[in-house]
Amino acid sequence: MSQDRSRDMSQGRTNVPVGGSQAPATQTISGSKGLEFAEPLIFEMSENGRTGVDLPDVSVGDERLGGMRRKDAVGLPGLSEPQVVRHYTRLSQKNYGIDSGFYPLGSCTMKHNPRVNEKAARMKGLGDLHPMQPVSSVQGALELIDTLAHWIKTLCGMPAVAMSPAAGAHGELCGMMAIKAAIEDRGEADTRTRVLVPESAHGTNPATAAACGFSVDSIPGDDRGRVDLEAFKAKLGDDVAGIMLTNPNTCGLFENDVIDIADAIHEAGGYFYCDGANFNAIVGRVRPGDLGIDCMHLNLHKTFSTPHGGGGPGAGPVVLSEALAPFAPVPYVVHDTNGYRLVEHQADSDAKPFGRLKGYHGQMGVFIRSLTFMLSHGADGLLQASTDAVLNANYLRAQLQDVMSVSFGGMCMHEVLFDDHFLKDTGVTTLDFAKAMIDEGFHPMTMYFPLVVHGALLMEPTESESKQTLDLYIQTLRGLNDRAQAGDADFFKEAPRLTPRRRLDETAAARKPVLRWTEPVEQAEAAE
Ligand SMILES: *Cc1c(COP(=O)(O)O)cnc(C)c1O
């Protein structure tokens, strides 16, 4: 985060205006606004010697510590119990999450996380598992991984799945390493070095291909927002290792030519990697295995709920075709007459695993939640969920397309893509528009992605939003658009007004994060 020390509340000091020159009318003496509290860092509130508990004096002789006794104060924050309770409660309220409001972040599938998932994950025997436990004591956990693997294979129509990848991008790495191992096995490692990636791909796709040592060759899209089939075919050759295609793609559209693409890549001797992060749109309706896919990762933390964001936790199992299944990484679960066991080492495998991808066996907490989601929905419920996700996205499209510019015509899948054409000549950018949504209590949609349209606004409502929520969202966006068209660009440039921090320099925050605490400016001045 870029530093903004304008509100140091620990001393109840008068504050300089929040966000610089445009002080909002709601500025207060304390820095808190109504029920939104300004909260300092815990050690800024700390006072030496204050504690929430009385501890007995301990005198441990130096001789028992080998001269290693600490010479300085321990440096832990000194707070009373109510201060600690308030501090963490207030921090928890600063987090905007799916539990606090609508989160239409396209490509991310921020859906409701059913509480029954949490109940299952905390069950005794699951919540307190340790990955180093003897296999004989975790038969139920291994059965759970195996059962989840079974349902994943069933939903995908694929013969094998690698369960250990820890997220979508990690799944991509797993899939591309399996492809690389298969190519090496065919003795073509030196010649098959090129991977085709559509220009609408998620950034992780080309990054993964490059990390695996392949060169990345971009395929253009057509004016329907899909892969240009002829351009793709023209790029095929015996140096092609495979294609990485997202389906439904990042424009929220189904790649109608997917079977032709699969046939063509196979004919050229390559493999078909599918980015399955958007499986939420098709689960229960289409089996990727029937489309000719060789491997595909699922984001369990998207399609099958489980909390996600901020880099984890997640799980990215990879389904594999007959051709790639032998190269799946260790460890994997097998079931025989003696029960469940783990194949942990390449040498113990009958197949040709490419190696190990991570410590232990996968993200157990996410597995439990995902399986609970599947079993509580049932096959009919999963189909209903994907159908409703598509319906909700098309509802947004239908209700907004007369005022906002839809990038590609026709029905969309689970997300709808707009570009900034509708803001032309208003002086308002996609970023400004998104910032104004924050003041309205909505998390913005995904902005400026995918890159194939100008100023993208990608919205994914998911199946778990009610019509009331969507209607309020629609009404809000229409109202903001009216304001933009009326020439009120300044209103947008100043947004957000109602947040604890206003416009942050997000690029600088990401590129040059300030991770070291420094004395708040006012305190330094007071000391002089
Ligand atoms: C989310 C996503 C990924 C990456 O998944 P992570 O779990 O965040 O690593 C890859 N591709 C697409 C299309 C995605 O939406």
Side-chain angles (χ1 to χ4, degrees), residues 106-109 166-172 200-205 246-250 275-278 297-302 308 311-316 414-415 449 460:
S107 202
C108 290
T109 313
H170 204 207
E172 290 175 38
S200 65
H202 196 266
T204 48
N205 293 185
T246 307
N247 198 21
N249 68 22
T250 58
D275 180 330
N278 292 336
H297 77 264
L298 294 178
N299 293 55
L300 293 189
H301 47 290
K302 291 178 181 170
H308 72 108
H414 64 311
E415 53 194 354
F449 176 80
E460 179 177 2

Side-chain angles (χ1 to χ4, degrees), residues 326 328-330 332 341 343-353:
V330 288
Y332 54 84
R341 64 188 169 85
V343 176
E344 294 265 13
H345 304 287
Q346 274 172 301
D348 300 335
S349 170
D350 310 330
K352 306 172 190 168

Side-chain angles (χ1 to χ4, degrees), residues 6-8 16 19 29 32 46 59 78 112 122 169 172 208 210 242 254 257 321 330 335 394 401 429 479 483-484 505:
S6 56
R7 293 198 313 172
D8 183 316
V16 299
I29 298 166
S32 302
S46 154
S59 52
H112 171 66
R122 284 165 175 70
E172 290 175 38
T208 301
F254 194 82
D257 294 325
S321 64
V330 288
H335 187 220
N394 278 288
Q401 64 185 358
T429 64
R483 199 151 191 163
D505 185 343

